[in-house]
Amino acid sequence: MSFRPGKRNLITDVSGLKVGNSDDARLKSGVTAIVCETPAVASVQVLGGAPGTRETDLLAPHNVVEAIDAIALSGGSAFGLDAASGVQAAMREAGRGFEVAGHRVPIVPAAILFDLANGGDKDWGRYPPYRELGFTAAEKAGDTFDVGSHGAGAGALTAGLKGGLGSASTVLPNGITVGALVAVNAVGSVTVGGSRHFWAAPFEIGDEFGGHGLPSPLPPDANEVVTKLGLAKAGANTTIGVVATDAKLSKAAAKRLAIAAHDGFARAIWPAHTPLDGDLVFGLATCRREDVLTLEASIELYAAATATMARAIARGVFAAIHAPGDTMPAWSDRWNP
């Protein structure tokens, strides 16, 4: 089995998805909107101990709503949950939504990360800006978008390095595409000890995050638990993401896709899924392909979800860039000065 990236190496290689970013350099925060061209089957898996979410209960396989219109990922901690209202407003203006008693209600689940203590100016007055940022992100949704210090990853931090917004895609031998999008703000580290090498290196395709591989031998500090000192408290971290496919999946299978993508967290971040993170993955299926998945094909699909998410995490940190007032260096500041 060989994996190759899609033509953009972005989640939008999955047919039926568009992504938009909106961020504020003064605020050092932003929003990313994932817009489904038609309602997509969706579920979610939360494995962190401090999540911040909206509309995730309806994604349980036993609940009635089968498909969603969009997803909002946002900075801003709990204030950022307003971003979903902005994305929902954009969907409503487009005539999208779940029909109830003659009305259309756009279904926009959301998740947030904590980026309040990253050097940005959070003195926004009475109401936070995330609703408007969410609307703008949805309006800007398209086939291409920027990774690194953009959107929901604009103000993200990891242990010792800036985080960022990452994305990657994988085309399976059977033609099915898997894509991942992630805002990396983990309590842990994405690099092996104090080295430039990414934990996700075994899954790298080409030199998409530098091509440095794993260090040999592993450095003595490879197994040290390094965290964001001073920010390592409940709700002050979190990696949030979306894994998507064009395969035809049920809600239960979309949840299994999200579970598999969490393995990508564990392969790319050390430590992951701590009580201080709100780690979450949404699973999406646009169902554009009619293939009936065999058991073997399902295993390949879930393996690709793991690998693609790991790559997306590394790409987000690799692409982060320095900005005035930053409290941590970008990977490029430290390893490509």
Side-chain angles (χ1 to χ4, degrees):
M1 177 176 62
S2 62
F3 290 159
R4 60 179 176 87
K7 64 180 180 180
R8 303 181 189 92
N9 203 14
L10 297 172
I11 194 172
T12 48
D13 287 327
V14 175
S15 178
L17 296 181
K18 296 186 181 298
V19 173
N21 288 327
S22 181
D23 43 72
D24 184 318
R26 178 189 58 82
L27 190 68
K28 287 188 182 291
S29 189
V31 174
T32 298
I34 302 91
V35 175
C36 310
E37 292 180 342
T38 57
V41 173
S43 194
V44 68
Q45 179 72 6
V46 181
L47 290 183
T53 62
R54 167 173 157 164
E55 293 275 51
T56 50
D57 283 353
L58 66 82
L59 299 178
H62 60 273
N63 286 337
V64 67
V65 175
E66 287 289 328
I68 66 170
D69 298 293
I71 290 173
L73 304 181
S74 179
S77 189
F79 299 107
L81 290 174
D82 278 356
S85 295
V87 177
Q88 187 180 52
M91 295 296 96
R92 185 170 185 263
E93 288 188 6
R96 299 287 303 280
F98 184 76
E99 188 172 351
V100 183
H103 297 274
R104 287 199 171 272
V105 182
I107 306 300
V108 184
I112 51 87
L113 55 81
F114 181 97
D115 60 4
L116 300 181
N118 62 2
D121 181 1
K122 306 304 192 296
D123 186 18
W124 52 60
R126 175 168 292 174
Y127 296 110
Y130 292 98
R131 184 180 69 177
E132 297 307 315
L133 286 169
F135 184 88
T136 301
E139 288 283 281
K140 291 169 64 177
D143 293 332
T144 61
F145 58 96
D146 292 323
V147 297
S149 301
H150 298 279
L157 304 173
T158 69
L161 293 172
K162 288 187 71 171
L165 184 74
S167 191
S169 67
T170 301
V171 180
L172 301 179
N174 60 11
I176 286 173
T177 300
V178 176
L181 175 73
V182 61
V184 188
N185 189 61
V187 68
S189 174
V190 301
T191 57
V192 182
S195 76
R196 67 181 178 177
H197 302 271
F198 288 94
W199 282 113
F203 302 103
E204 186 174 15
I205 300 177
D207 60 355
E208 61 187 342
F209 41 90
H212 300 294
L214 287 172
S216 181
L218 290 173
D221 61 351
N223 63 355
E224 289 185 8
V225 178
V226 180
T227 62
K228 285 189 292 196
L229 297 177
L231 287 181
K233 56 187 69 175
N237 308 285
T238 300
T239 299
I240 50 177
V242 179
V243 62
T245 182
D246 53 7
K248 190 171 185 178
L249 300 183
S250 65
K251 242 176 136 180
K255 185 175 183 69
R256 177 59 56 187
L257 191 73
I259 292 169
H262 270 290
D263 291 341
F265 282 29
R267 298 301 299 265
I269 303 168
W270 166 251
H273 303 134
T274 77
L276 309 180
D277 287 295
D279 292 349
L280 169 150
V281 178
F282 293 105
L284 276 180
T286 63
C287 302
R288 293 296 180 93
R289 295 179 63 95
E290 292 295 330
D291 311 57
V292 176
L293 294 177
T294 64
L295 180 58
E296 182 180 1
S298 295
I299 292 172
E300 289 185 355
L301 177 72
Y302 298 134
T306 297
T308 310
M309 182 59 76
R311 291 165 48 218
I313 289 168
R315 291 191 76 207
V317 175
F318 179 72
I321 56 174
H322 173 80
D326 282 349
T327 59
M328 290 187 187
W331 185 95
S332 58
D333 295 332
R334 188 168 179 185
W335 301 114
N336 288 329

